[in-house]
């Protein structure tokens, strides 16, 4: 929300090219032998665990690249 209480980005989600640093998501991670952890903070509350879980499950697996667009 801006100072007037209006949404900053919701009305133009497909057009937003830059998000102010104070509005950006925070991602922290760490690793040690036998363990890895990931913490994400989303000020907007829309980030759920499922996209992160999907990426982590696919990590190291086969990927298909579609280069037909150029």
């Amino acid at each position: 929300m801006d100072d007037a209480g209006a949404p900053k980005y919701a009305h133009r989600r497909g057009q937003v090219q830059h998000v102010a640093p104070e509005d950006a998501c925070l991602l922290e991670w760490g690793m040690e032998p036998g363990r890895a952890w990931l913490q994400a903070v989303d000020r907007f509350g829309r980030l759920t665990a499922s996209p992160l879980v999907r990426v982590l499950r696919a990590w190291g697996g086969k990927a298909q690249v579609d280069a037909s667009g150029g």
Side-chain angles (χ1 to χ4, degrees), residues 6 11 14 19 21-22 25 33 35-36 39 41-45 47 51-52 57 60 62-63 68:
H11 65 287
V19 174
E22 63 271 13
C25 292
R35 293 193 171 146
Q39 175 177 315
V41 177
D42 172 22
R43 291 190 55 230
F44 299 103
L47 180 64
L52 298 173
R57 283 188 177 150
K62 293 181 179 181
S68 64

Side-chain angles (χ1 to χ4, degrees), residues 36-67:
W37 64 93
L38 176 69
Q39 175 177 315
V41 177
D42 172 22
R43 291 190 55 230
F44 299 103
R46 298 290 309 243
L47 180 64
T48 62
S50 58
L52 298 173
V53 170
R54 189 170 52 251
V55 167
L56 291 175
R57 283 188 177 150
W59 197 354
K62 293 181 179 181
Q64 182 175 349
V65 176
D66 180 2

